[in-house]
Amino acid sequence: EINGGGCNFVDDAKTQKPVIKIEGTVKKTPRIGGVMGYHSTYVSGANCASLQNLTNYADIQYNTVAGSTNQSSVGGILGHINGTMVFKNCVNNGDLTIEKDAKYVGGIAASYINGAKYSLADWANLTNNGNIIAKSATETNGPWFAGILPRTKSTPAVVWKNMHNNGDITVGPNI
């Protein structure tokens, strides 16, 4: 839930590029992605989720006021993943601009948790071409930024293959 603002998808007249804007006061944990914000699956093997051959061109502009338990996740393709996922052949071309209060920011995904009850995940051929610009943060434990994925907790392991970050990561002076 976002108060005093909202989530807007606009076509930027200057760049002719779509922009996703998140503004206002966040009451719950926001998970924002250029394609999908949050995914959770409790199955394994052939029945697990599969995201393949996706490209995000939208820029994401994140500007919120969050509470002290903020665990916000902003990713170029996916905000937060919980469980097993096949994630292949995806590209983010959008820039991520964080004005304040995002904890996990990743060019491909922001946060990934795969507990012991899930099977092995397979991530391959993922490319981030977008820039990450973090202007300000109030987090005391973090924030964390990465071209591909800043946060992962995984048992069993994830198979990582052919990952590329071509974007720049720029952080403000108080981060």
Side-chain angles (χ1 to χ4, degrees):
E1 181 178 337
I2 300 174
N3 293 330
C7 178
N8 301 306
F9 185 80
V10 297
D11 189 1
D12 187 336
K14 294 179 185 175
T15 63
Q16 295 301 306
K17 190 174 186 180
V19 178
I20 299 169
K21 293 184 178 184
I22 313 298
E23 298 177 310
T25 301
V26 178
K27 286 190 171 184
K28 297 192 177 184
T29 303
R31 293 171 172 131
I32 294 103
V35 175
M36 182 184 296
Y38 176 80
H39 173 76
S40 181
T41 184
Y42 295 95
V43 295
S44 61
N47 295 321
C48 76
S50 177
L51 290 180
Q52 298 187 50
N53 306 312
L54 299 172
T55 301
N56 173 47
Y57 293 97
D59 291 342
I60 297 175
Q61 297 175 358
Y62 184 82
N63 183 12
T64 68
V65 176
S68 61
T69 60
N70 182 29
Q71 296 285 315
S72 58
S73 301
V74 180
I77 300 287
L78 205 51
H80 177 78
I81 305 126
N82 187 23
T84 303
M85 176 172 282
V86 174
F87 198 14
K88 294 182 178 181
N89 306 317
C90 296
V91 178
N92 174 49
N93 292 313
D95 292 340
L96 307 177
T97 302
I98 309 303
E99 294 292 336
K100 58 185 169 190
D101 282 342
K103 185 154 189 168
Y104 308 108
V105 181
I108 295 296
S111 179
Y112 175 65
I113 298 173
N114 182 14
K117 62 184 172 182
Y118 305 111
S119 66
L120 186 71
D122 187 7
W123 290 33
N125 305 318
L126 302 174
T127 302
N128 175 48
N129 295 317
N131 297 312
I132 297 172
I133 302 105
K135 297 182 178 181
S136 177
T138 59
E139 291 288 335
T140 56
N141 183 15
W144 298 325
F145 305 99
I148 301 294
L149 177 70
R151 177 189 187 218
T152 182
K153 291 182 183 180
S154 184
T155 305
V158 177
V159 175
W160 306 95
K161 299 179 210 164
N162 200 24
M163 307 288 196
H164 301 281
N165 177 50
N166 301 316
D168 293 331
I169 299 174
T170 305
V171 297
N174 67 332
I175 296 179

